Amino acid sequence: CCCTLVNKILMVVFMVLLIFAILFGNLVTLAVVLGTKHFHTPQGYLKASLAVADLAVGMFVVPLSVYAEVYLMVTDSAPEWTFYNSQSVSFHPCNVIGPIFGGCTFVSITTIFLLTIERSIAVLKPLHKDSVITRKRTTILIVLSWVGSFFLAVSPMIFSSEIALEYNSCSRMCNYVLGTIGEFPSQAWNILLLFPAFDFTLLGGTVVINIISLSSIRQHSRRRKHLAETECQSISKPTFSDIKAAKTIGTLTVAFTASFTPIAVFVVGNVLGNKWCNFSFFAFWILASNSCWNVIIYSVRDQKFRLCAHK
């Protein structure tokens, strides 16, 4: 994957701008959620968890790529550790950065799934919302999602001696790869396919739940138009803020699904023996750029968030 000096400079500029966008956007999100009493809710806790996961990508994952690419441009030679995988040296940066990127991606998916569940209960069962969705339960689920996600991220190295991590010259990121063997074993193949299987299972469930919630919102809107005012007041219905939040989570789901699909296609193709060098670069960096989309979606869709952010 060679490119001209101009392309390399543009690539590094893009990475640096992405770091600032991720850090600024998610720090604003954390400041709003943690600093405003209105957002001290189960939904606010989940948004804070999502912001922390995205922040980790901007603090650890992207800077390593910037360092490797700048080092290559300045010295005309890549850093020594990029020539080896994690099995060939005693310490490899990808041993840390790879699981961070994988774990934070899984945290994002599980958090969006939990946000969807939380909003669906608020829309479908508004009278039971406060009793079912509590801050304590939400905190426990957030901790479990972080522990489970990072366990899944390191599981390839735990359960297979054939899988390692390396800095890939195509994607310009740390990737899971085969170690020192030349033939792809079925066990390693199955373990790597756990990633897209897990992600698409959760994303598929999230999409289905969003469709059910949005369908319920449409039915409620139609009933409100046809029923008399007195009858409307006697029917339990979701609040306007619950409806607005459900639509925002739906937008988040669409954005994350769109950003994750290329990487899932690449993983499956890579397992089947396709390198797809240029495609891997776009796939990984589209996924990384998703870390700065959330604050944009909140700002556009949530007026209260926008007002607090301006303060």
Side-chain angles (χ1 to χ4, degrees):
C1 282
C2 297
C3 55
T4 63
L5 179 61
V6 173
N7 288 338
K8 290 180 180 179
I9 293 174
L10 290 175
M11 180 177 61
V12 171
V13 169
F14 162 74
M15 292 177 181
V16 172
L17 291 176
L18 183 60
I19 291 174
F20 283 108
I22 292 173
L23 295 182
F24 175 77
N26 289 288
L27 286 174
V28 168
T29 300
L30 286 175
V32 171
V33 172
L34 300 179
T36 308
K37 191 174 181 180
H38 171 77
F39 290 101
H40 292 177
T41 61
Q43 183 188 162
Y45 287 5
L46 289 168
K47 286 182 177 179
S49 175
L50 187 61
V52 171
D54 290 336
L55 203 58
V57 174
M59 291 177 63
F60 301 106
V61 179
V62 183
L64 180 68
S65 300
V66 172
Y67 168 76
E69 297 307 314
V70 170
Y71 188 98
L72 175 61
M73 284 195 299
V74 173
T75 65
D76 203 28
S77 176
E80 186 178 356
W81 52 267
T82 62
F83 295 105
Y84 308 98
N85 62 45
S86 58
Q87 291 182 349
S88 304
V89 293
S90 57
F91 173 77
H92 198 289
C94 288
N95 274 335
V96 177
I97 302 303
I100 287 178
F101 189 39
C104 289
T105 301
F106 298 142
V107 167
S108 297
I109 294 174
T110 53
T111 303
I112 291 174
F113 178 75
L114 292 174
L115 278 166
T116 303
I117 295 291
E118 187 265 344
R119 284 299 87 193
S120 67
I121 294 174
V123 170
L124 300 175
K125 301 289 183 181
L127 295 179
H128 300 86
K129 178 183 69 172
D130 293 333
S131 60
V132 174
I133 308 168
T134 64
R135 286 185 286 187
K136 182 178 179 180
R137 289 175 181 173
T138 303
T139 303
I140 293 172
L141 288 173
I142 289 172
V143 171
L144 290 176
S145 73
W146 277 84
V147 172
S149 295
F150 274 84
F151 176 76
L152 184 60
V154 299
S155 61
M157 283 78 70
I158 295 176
F159 297 110
S160 176
S161 59
E162 294 94 355
I163 298 176
L165 284 155
E166 72 173 12
Y167 184 81
N168 189 278
S169 60
C170 291
S171 66
R172 269 80 172 185
M173 280 192 178
C174 294
N175 295 169
Y176 294 90
V177 294
L178 287 178
T180 56
I181 62 174
E183 185 178 338
F184 208 106
S186 59
Q187 183 186 10
W189 191 87
N190 292 330
I191 291 173
L192 286 179
L193 284 180
L194 277 176
F195 288 1
F198 171 82
D199 295 334
F200 273 120
T201 299
L202 276 189
L203 285 175
T206 302
V207 170
V208 171
I209 295 170
N210 270 301
I211 291 173
I212 294 173
S213 298
L214 294 175
S215 298
S216 176
I217 291 172
R218 290 186 64 185
Q219 291 175 2
H220 165 68
S221 299
R222 290 173 181 173
R223 283 201 307 266
R224 188 171 56 185
K225 291 180 181 179
H226 292 89
L227 294 176
E229 184 67 26
T230 55
E231 293 177 309
C232 284
Q233 292 175 350
S234 64
I235 298 174
S236 65
K237 57 182 183 291
T239 63
F240 176 76
S241 61
D242 288 334
I243 294 173
K244 191 79 173 177
K247 292 180 178 179
T248 301
I249 302 307
T251 306
L252 277 177
T253 303
V254 171
F256 196 90
T257 303
S259 65
F260 179 77
T261 299
I263 201 72
V265 172
F266 168 75
V267 170
V268 175
N270 195 244
V271 164
L272 296 176
N274 299 304
K275 186 154 186 175
W276 292 344
C277 190
N278 291 330
F279 178 73
S280 71
F281 175 81
F282 289 106
F284 275 92
W285 287 97
I286 287 173
L287 180 61
S289 66
N290 181 71
S291 296
C292 65
W293 293 1
N294 297 334
V295 68
I296 298 173
I297 294 172
Y298 299 153
S299 299
V300 172
R301 301 286 308 177
D302 192 334
Q303 184 178 9
K304 290 182 179 178
F305 179 90
R306 189 163 58 248
L307 291 174
C308 292
H310 287 160
K311 291 180 182 179

